[in-house]
């Protein structure tokens, strides 16, 4: 179910699945089927850590979940200001869910800026927990509050819980030898403890995490654990929280297996490591740090034991240059970046097209142009990935659909690169990279065999009978050229950016040869074997919703919502954007209307219109945030009725 979530108060009035039970002298425990919580505060308040810990405990409990971290675009915006608000939203449920949720049921606001920046997203009746210690006159004036929202009646439509989080935290830690400022830093752990009590989350994992995180500072670890426990005890004893809530594990939402919570960047990193092991090749990453791709560099640097080598270059160009050199040397080569870095890497990507070497170009898309919105999400690099190079330089493009799917997409991108000897774009985005969901850890036997055969000796016989090595003599099925490891006797050959002669690889300025090579490189990409696109159409609809990348969750949630309302609508989602699946044209012809939601100004729609002459309708947004299911459902309903 993905319909808009009602607040705990509304669900308690009868809309909730479940039961109430009350023991003598104990608080009510009410069962919910799903909850959306948003933690919000200054970027220094630890909201991402708080949300991450609540998510980890929720995953261990067995709920299905989806998260949306939201960072300030500035490195360190002024404290207490609207641009400096950091938030973390978590949607968890006892059934299959697809998005972080449209509107929070619970907002934890650590200061006036956090309240003002987020209150507009809450439905009436939602729970609002505010840190009253921060609602000083100066702090409120800084964000435009003339009077206190806690006293002027503007929050009357919500269930407001005023909690002096800072004071309570300092009081709980008075036995520790900490300054007041040091003690105040643990208020996020107090809030986490309170919410953990409120929603019956496990606590052992968080306490173990804190001991590990502050292993070199045991006093700080003990203080954070004390604050966490104090928050739990506050919820248990205060009269302001008369009810706690249970969300049962999602027992039927997952196939059997071992699961863990995983973010998109972590899943992608694991996918790259798995691909190198399945290919029996060392993994080489040449990268320059850039938001939101840097986590991949950080993660891969931890896995030297799997033959992973990471190189933090001095700039984007050096990063991809080193990666391409590693590809020439026989490694599974990767470079990671975001949109601005792709622009800098474009010349070397063109060189990789000319050299016909396997190279993974991982683009974690963010808002642009130029520096744009470094911490916000967007899907606006598709046309850059398709055409952002000089000359005819075709490159395959693969896009994951969910955080966990980043693992499989990395394996698929590696398969294409290794099989067809080509650079491959892997287009993720900030929403997938930082968001998380449960991931079933696959068995080794389920992973594809990616092993390749390097050239071992001569592959061509000249007219005089002598045997030679031709570096551009192609496999008749894949059109891939042989991959020869430098230093192999007899396989010496010239590489470079000037056009090659077919077969021999010698420099060639012959017009006919250039025409042939351009068409051959294009034919190689066009001939890549990709699965047919699958269509979800149980009712023979007349309208098809076509998506790609991270729009999968919101689109699927919106489609489910419409079908529950009696509407007939079909859905298809593309993983392969170049080449398109071979059946895509016939699929599009079956529908009267094709609607393409994108977080750009219609880039996939432009490609679809150009290739298939289909009057595809764009529905777009570029506000740095993912679509909301309710918003998409309304737009799709209008398209169906129009």
């Amino acid at each position: 179910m993905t319909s808009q979530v009602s607040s705990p108060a509304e669900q308690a009035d009868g809309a909730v699945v479940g039961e109430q039970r009350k023991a003598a002298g104990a608080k009510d425990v009410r069962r919910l089927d799903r909850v959306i919580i948003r933690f919000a505060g200054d970027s220094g308040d630890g909201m991402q850590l708080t949300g991450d810990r609540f998510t980890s405990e929720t995953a261990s409990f067995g709920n299905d979940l989806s998260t949306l971290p939201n960072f300030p675009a500035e490195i360190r915006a002024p404290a207490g200001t609207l641009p400096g608000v950091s938030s973390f939203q978590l949607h968890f449920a006892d059934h299959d869910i697809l998005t972080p949720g449209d509107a929070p049921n619970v907002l934890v606001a650590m200061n006036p800026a956090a309240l003002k920046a987020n209150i507009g997203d809450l439905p009436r009746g939602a729970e609002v927990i505010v840190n009253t210690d921060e609602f000083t006159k100066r702090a409120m004036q800084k964000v435009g509050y003339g009077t206190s929202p806690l006293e002027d009646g503007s929050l009357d439509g919500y269930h407001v819980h005023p909690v002096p989080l800072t004071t309570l935290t300092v009081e709980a830690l008075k036995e520790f030898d900490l300054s007041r400022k040091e003690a105040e830093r643990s208020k996020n752990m107090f809030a986490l403890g309170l919410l953990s009590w409120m929603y019956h989350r496990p606590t052992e994992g968080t306490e173990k995490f804190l001991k590990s995180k502050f292993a070199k500072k045991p006093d700080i670890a003990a203080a954070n654990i004390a604050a966490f426990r104090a928050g739990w005890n506050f919820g248990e004893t205060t009269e302001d929280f008369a009810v706690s809530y249970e969300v049962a594990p999602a027992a039927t939402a997952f196939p059997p297996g071992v699961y863990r919570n995983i973010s998109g960047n972590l899943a992608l990193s694991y996918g790259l490591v798995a691909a190198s092991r399945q290919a029996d090749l060392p993994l080489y990453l040449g990268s320059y740090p850039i938001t939101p791709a840097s986590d991949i560099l950080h993660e891969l640097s931890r896995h030297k034991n799997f033959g992973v080598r990471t190189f933090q270059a001095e700039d984007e160009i050096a990063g991809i240059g080193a990666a391409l050199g590693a590809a020439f040397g026989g490694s599974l080569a990767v470079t990671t970046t975001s949109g601005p870095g792709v622009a800098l890497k474009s010349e070397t990507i063109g060189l990789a097209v000319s050299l016909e070497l396997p190279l993974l170009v991982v683009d974690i898309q963010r808002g642009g142009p130029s520096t744009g919105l470094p911490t916000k999400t967007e899907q606006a690099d598709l046309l850059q990935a398709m055409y952002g190079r000089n000359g005819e330089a075709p490159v395959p493009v693969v896009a994951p659909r969910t955080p966990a799917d980043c693992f499989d997409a990395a394996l698929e991108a590696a398969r294409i690169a290794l099989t067809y000897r080509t650079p491959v774009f892997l287009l993720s985005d900030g929403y997938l990279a930082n968001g998380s969901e449960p991931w079933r850890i696959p068995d080794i036997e389920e992973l594809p065999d990616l092993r390749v055969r390097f050239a071992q000796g001569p592959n061509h016989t000249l007219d005089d009978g002598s045997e030679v090595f031709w570096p551009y003599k192609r496999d008749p099925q894949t059109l891939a050229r042989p991959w020869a490891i430098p230093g192999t006797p007899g396989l010496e050959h010239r590489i470079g950016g000037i056009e090659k002669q077919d077969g021999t690889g010698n420099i060639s300025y012959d017009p006919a040869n250039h025409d042939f090579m351009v068409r051959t490189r294009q034919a190689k990409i066009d001939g890549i074997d990709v699965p047919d696109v699958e269509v979800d159409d149980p009712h023979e609809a007349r309208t098809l919703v076509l998506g790609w990348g991270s729009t999968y969750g919101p689109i699927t949630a919106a489609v489910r919502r419409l079908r529950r309302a009696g509407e007939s609508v079909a859905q298809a989602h593309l993983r392969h954007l170049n080449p398109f699946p071979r059946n895509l044209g016939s699929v599009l012809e079956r529908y009267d209307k094709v609607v393409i939601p994108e977080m750009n100004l219609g880039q996939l729609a432009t490609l679809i219109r150009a290739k298939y002459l289909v009057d595809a309708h764009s529905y777009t947004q570029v506000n740095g945030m993912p679509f909301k299911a309710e918003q998409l459902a309304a737009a799709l309903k209008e398209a169906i009725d129009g």
Side-chain angles (χ1 to χ4, degrees), residues 327-344:
F328 180 59
S331 292
L332 175 59
V334 185
T335 189
T336 53
T337 189
S338 190
V342 172
L344 293 166

Side-chain angles (χ1 to χ4, degrees), residues 341-578:
V342 172
L344 293 166
K345 295 178 189 289
S346 61
E347 184 178 7
T348 306
I349 297 171
L351 177 60
V353 172
S354 176
L355 300 183
E356 300 190 46
L357 287 171
L359 173 67
L360 302 187
V361 181
V362 179
D363 177 4
I364 312 297
Q365 300 166 96
R366 70 190 204 188
S370 188
T371 306
L373 302 174
T375 63
K376 308 300 180 183
T377 194
E378 207 163 276
Q379 286 183 298
D381 293 350
L382 175 56
L383 293 183
Q384 180 178 221
M386 288 285 292
Y387 303 119
R389 294 162 296 284
N390 64 297
E392 296 288 347
V395 175
V397 181
V398 176
R401 60 177 60 182
T402 69
D405 188 48
C406 290
F407 178 86
D408 295 315
L411 284 163
E412 174 63 359
R415 177 191 72 86
I416 293 172
L418 294 171
T419 303
Y420 296 90
R421 310 286 197 269
T422 177
V424 177
F425 262 101
L426 181 55
L427 289 184
S428 179
D429 61 45
Y431 172 38
L432 295 183
N434 297 316
S436 62
E437 66 176 351
W439 172 58
R440 187 181 71 83
I441 302 173
D443 294 328
I444 297 298
E445 294 74 20
E446 300 174 39
L447 302 181
D449 184 352
L450 301 179
R451 287 174 294 181
V452 297
R453 289 178 58 87
F454 291 111
Q456 299 297 322
N459 61 358
H460 184 76
T461 303
L462 298 176
D463 292 340
D464 62 4
S466 59
E467 293 185 336
V468 295
F469 174 66
W470 275 15
Y472 281 83
K473 185 170 185 176
R474 301 180 183 278
D475 181 285
Q477 277 74 45
T478 65
L479 298 182
R481 78 173 185 92
W483 193 1
I485 300 298
T488 306
L491 304 191
E492 298 85 357
H493 61 284
R494 179 182 291 108
I495 63 170
I498 299 177
E499 185 62 278
K500 318 296 186 301
Q501 184 181 48
D502 177 42
T504 69
N506 296 329
I507 290 175
S508 173
Y509 298 102
D510 178 60
N513 177 78
H514 177 59
D515 184 274
F516 178 82
M517 292 294 280
V518 167
R519 295 181 187 278
T520 300
R521 287 189 289 262
Q522 184 65 57
K524 181 174 70 169
I525 304 306
D526 292 341
I528 291 173
D529 182 24
V530 303
D532 284 348
V533 63
E534 297 181 357
V535 183
D536 176 19
D537 185 5
H539 305 116
E540 297 185 359
R542 297 175 58 192
T543 299
L544 172 70
V545 187
L546 181 67
W548 71 279
S550 66
T551 57
Y552 173 77
I555 289 174
T556 305
V559 166
R560 289 182 182 180
R561 190 172 296 196
L562 288 171
R563 288 175 180 171
R564 286 197 300 272
E567 299 291 343
S568 180
V569 60
Q571 179 187 0
H573 209 79
L574 295 173
R575 163 172 282 178
H576 297 89
L577 298 155
N578 190 34

Side-chain angles (χ1 to χ4, degrees), residues 546-624:
L546 181 67
W548 71 279
S550 66
T551 57
Y552 173 77
I555 289 174
T556 305
V559 166
R560 289 182 182 180
R561 190 172 296 196
L562 288 171
R563 288 175 180 171
R564 286 197 300 272
E567 299 291 343
S568 180
V569 60
Q571 179 187 0
H573 209 79
L574 295 173
R575 163 172 282 178
H576 297 89
L577 298 155
N578 190 34
F580 285 130
R582 286 172 175 74
N583 70 329
L584 181 56
S586 60
V587 166
L588 296 172
E589 290 175 357
R590 301 206 304 258
Y591 296 93
D592 297 338
K593 297 178 183 177
V594 177
V595 182
I596 304 179
E598 298 181 77
M599 293 189 295
N600 55 49
L601 295 183
Q603 297 188 15
L604 176 61
T606 297
L607 296 174
I608 293 295
R609 292 189 191 110
K611 184 172 181 63
Y612 299 105
L613 303 181
V614 170
D615 186 20
H617 300 271
S618 282
Y619 182 74
T620 65
Q621 73 174 33
V622 281
N623 62 5

Side-chain angles (χ1 to χ4, degrees), residues 143-166:
V143 296
Y145 280 129
T147 60
S148 173
L150 306 180
E151 300 171 356
D152 63 8
S154 60
L155 300 179
D156 286 351
Y158 307 97
H159 294 273
V160 180
H161 302 277
V163 181
L165 286 172
T166 306

Side-chain angles (χ1 to χ4, degrees), residues 297-311:
L297 171 60
H298 301 159
E299 181 60 33
L300 289 180
S301 68
R302 299 186 177 104
H303 297 291
K304 297 180 179 66
N305 56 313
F306 288 115
V308 178
R309 286 176 289 177
T310 54
F311 169 51

